[in-house]
């Protein structure tokens, strides 16, 4: 998760990484669909990204993933 208004300009590298991952995923049918994701959020910068609902939801997403994989009850 990266803000598109990042004041350290990290979003530029994340955009390139996202493009590469999408290209690799298209070229590899064996790539797992649940390998993760990249979200680019407009209007968030390096400091206020932590208040975004998407970032705050990560712990719940991790627990759901672990439960679905049979690692938690």
């Amino acid at each position: 998760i990266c803000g598109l208004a990042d004041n350290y300009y990290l979003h530029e590298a994340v955009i390139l990484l996202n493009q590469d991952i999408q290209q690799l995923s298209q070229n590899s049918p064996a790539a797992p669909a649940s390998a993760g994701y990249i979200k680019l959020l407009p209007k968030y910068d390096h400091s206020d990204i932590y208040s975004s609902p998407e970032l705050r939801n990560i712990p719940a997403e991790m627990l759901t993933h672990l439960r679905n994989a049979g690692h938690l009850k």
Side-chain angles (χ1 to χ4, degrees), residues 49-65:
I49 191 77
Y50 297 101
S51 66
S52 71
E54 290 84 355
L55 198 68
R56 290 188 317 224
N57 194 41
I58 288 176
E61 287 181 18
M62 292 171 68
L63 288 172
T64 299
H65 176 77

Side-chain angles (χ1 to χ4, degrees), residues 34-55:
S34 64
Y37 60 83
I38 292 177
K39 285 187 180 179
L40 299 165
L41 303 178
K43 301 181 184 175
Y44 284 98
D45 65 26
H46 200 78
S47 299
D48 63 7
I49 191 77
Y50 297 101
S51 66
S52 71
E54 290 84 355
L55 198 68

Side-chain angles (χ1 to χ4, degrees), residues 6-26:
D6 190 272
N7 44 349
Y8 292 98
Y9 305 102
L10 298 175
H11 64 287
E12 295 171 358
V14 174
I15 289 170
L16 293 174
L17 175 63
N18 192 33
Q19 291 170 352
D20 285 347
I21 289 172
Q22 288 177 355
Q23 185 177 19
L24 289 170
S25 296
Q26 291 172 357

